[in-house]
Amino acid sequence: MSPTPEATPARLRAIPSRLLARTATVAERLVGERLAAEGAHKWHFAVLVALDEAGPASQADLSRRTGIYRSDMVAVLNQLSGTGCIRRDPDPADRRRNVITLTPAGQRRLDRLDALITDAQRELLAPLTSEQGRQLVSLLGILTEHHQPKHPGAADEE
Amino acid sequence: MSPTPEATPARLRAIPSRLLARTATVAERLVGERLAAEGAHKWHFAVLVALDEAGPASQADLSRRTGIYRSDMVAVLNQLSGTGCIRRDPDPADRRRNVITLTPAGQRRLDRLDALITDAQRELLAPLTSEQGRQLVSLLGILTEHHQPKHPGAADEE
DNA sequence: AGATAAACGTTCGTCGCACTAACGAGGGTA
DNA sequence: TACCCTCGTTAGTGCGACGAACGTTTATCT
């Protein structure tokens, strides 16, 4: 008869890790679609923001600031440099490093991507009040700050 | 000098989709590690819960209830059946279907996995008060409910 | 000084999850 | 009958997170 609407079990619906996984998937799709429509990528935005906020940096710096792996950073910078958004010069003070610098074109690109991402966040948080949205960001901020990748040698009580 | 602790830019730290992605990654690692230590998997638990809560079901039912794709469901059920946690019998009423039934061994397995997962959630939400934990679950619940995979033919306003 | 360890940029590869495509077998309905 | 949908199954794609290793350069230790 009523074929049971096949609802997700309550016990599953209440599991934080599960909710996080599903919500994160939705969020990545919302952001990814918008950025892909302009040939852009999550990671491009992160790098541009890091450069805009803290000035020129080495690739390793950018990697640590954005959380993008060094290995993946290479391709990102290749693309950003290919479109003239950044310059990549060898560091005269340390010849292992490259100095990555934001160009005016990169600044404009950043503004554009920022608009897209902001719009995606709006759609993501649409069912929440702005107060709830702030709460969510605050709670997630606490979690990410607490569960940071631990450096070897860092104090690790417990 | 102070080489700048290489903090993540504030503009990045406030982006919901980014926070979700990072937190979800941490959460999946916490859960995954514990389950892997017992040769188990996220999906095993979800299936067992669905069977325990709503009784025997077809594979397609389980797929819809748990959000696991039919394609991935096959392997999961193979493993669960291999360890005697479920039985998989052809449905006499509809010979396309298999009827999946939870066995007593599956019930015990469920209890064990439930303990592991509960423990992982505790560690995940450790930095939050229990009230904050409930808030987080509630907010994520709203989001996942709102952004459901849309069925073809379903009303899709805006 | 020389030896050793570390950090940098880079290439390549792995693992897991979400997801699609296609197919044969069966079932519902005109 | 013909048509279309569902079911279980196999295979494969795309992407994000992550690790290994290498040559080069710099920092550290004795």
Side-chain angles (χ1 to χ4, degrees):
Chain A
M1 308 307 107
S2 80
T4 311
E6 276 150 353
T8 302
R11 272 169 80 185
L12 288 184
R13 265 183 284 126
I15 297 179
S17 63
R18 202 184 149 85
L19 291 167
L20 281 169
R22 293 182 104 59
T23 317
T25 298
V26 171
E28 289 208 343
R29 181 151 45 219
L30 288 176
V31 172
E33 278 172 0
R34 279 171 171 80
L35 291 181
E38 297 226 355
H41 200 270
K42 239 172 105 180
W43 296 338
H44 297 153
F45 175 72
V47 168
L48 294 176
V49 167
L51 289 173
D52 185 46
E53 188 155 308
S58 72
Q59 301 188 189
D61 280 348
L62 288 175
S63 176
R64 284 183 290 261
R65 283 202 245 264
T66 60
I68 303 169
Y69 268 61
R70 312 190 293 283
S71 7
D72 302 322
M73 183 66 69
V74 180
V76 173
L77 294 180
N78 284 343
Q79 297 170 258
L80 286 176
S81 140
T83 53
C85 291
I86 60 161
R87 281 188 308 123
R88 184 182 352 199
D89 311 299
D91 186 342
D94 185 343
R95 305 214 314 276
R96 291 171 302 182
R97 294 183 176 155
N98 292 333
V99 178
I100 312 299
T101 314
L102 189 63
T103 66
Q107 180 72 54
R108 289 192 299 274
R109 180 75 165 159
L110 171 55
D111 293 342
R112 177 75 189 123
L113 297 189
D114 191 277
L116 291 178
I117 291 199
T118 301
D119 189 59
Q121 309 303 316
R122 251 196 331 101
E123 183 172 351
L124 172 64
L125 301 185
L128 301 184
T129 69
S130 32
E131 172 58 20
Q132 287 176 320
R134 276 188 295 274
Q135 274 184 19
L136 181 64
V137 168
S138 161
L139 294 173
L140 292 175
I142 296 175
L143 291 186
T144 56
E145 201 168 328
H146 182 260
H147 294 102
Q148 281 176 39
K150 316 181 193 305
H151 296 207
D156 190 3
E157 73 281 12
E158 175 77 10
Chain B
M1 299 302 107
S2 81
T4 310
E6 276 150 353
T8 302
R11 271 169 81 185
L12 289 185
R13 265 183 283 126
I15 297 179
S17 63
R18 201 183 149 86
L19 291 167
L20 282 169
R22 291 181 106 56
T23 317
T25 298
V26 171
E28 289 208 343
R29 182 152 42 220
L30 288 176
V31 172
E33 279 172 0
R34 278 171 171 81
L35 291 181
E38 298 226 356
H41 200 269
K42 241 172 101 179
W43 295 339
H44 297 151
F45 175 72
V47 168
L48 294 176
V49 168
L51 289 173
D52 185 46
E53 187 155 309
S58 73
Q59 301 189 191
D61 280 347
L62 288 175
S63 176
R64 284 182 290 260
R65 284 201 245 262
T66 59
I68 303 168
Y69 272 64
R70 311 192 294 283
S71 8
D72 302 322
M73 183 64 71
V74 181
V76 174
L77 294 181
N78 283 343
Q79 297 169 257
L80 286 176
S81 137
T83 53
C85 292
I86 60 161
R87 281 188 309 122
R88 184 199 288 182
D89 311 299
D91 186 342
D94 185 341
R95 303 213 317 275
R96 293 170 301 180
R97 293 184 174 148
N98 293 332
V99 179
I100 311 299
T101 313
L102 189 62
T103 66
Q107 181 71 56
R108 289 193 299 273
R109 181 74 165 161
L110 171 56
D111 293 343
R112 177 75 188 122
L113 298 189
D114 191 278
L116 292 177
I117 292 200
T118 301
D119 189 59
Q121 309 303 316
R122 253 197 328 102
E123 183 172 351
L124 172 63
L125 302 185
L128 301 184
T129 68
S130 33
E131 173 57 21
Q132 286 176 321
R134 277 189 295 273
Q135 273 184 19
L136 181 64
V137 168
S138 161
L139 294 173
L140 292 176
I142 296 175
L143 291 185
T144 56
E145 202 168 329
H146 182 260
H147 294 102
Q148 281 175 36
K150 316 183 193 305
H151 297 205
D156 189 5
E157 73 282 10
E158 180 68 11

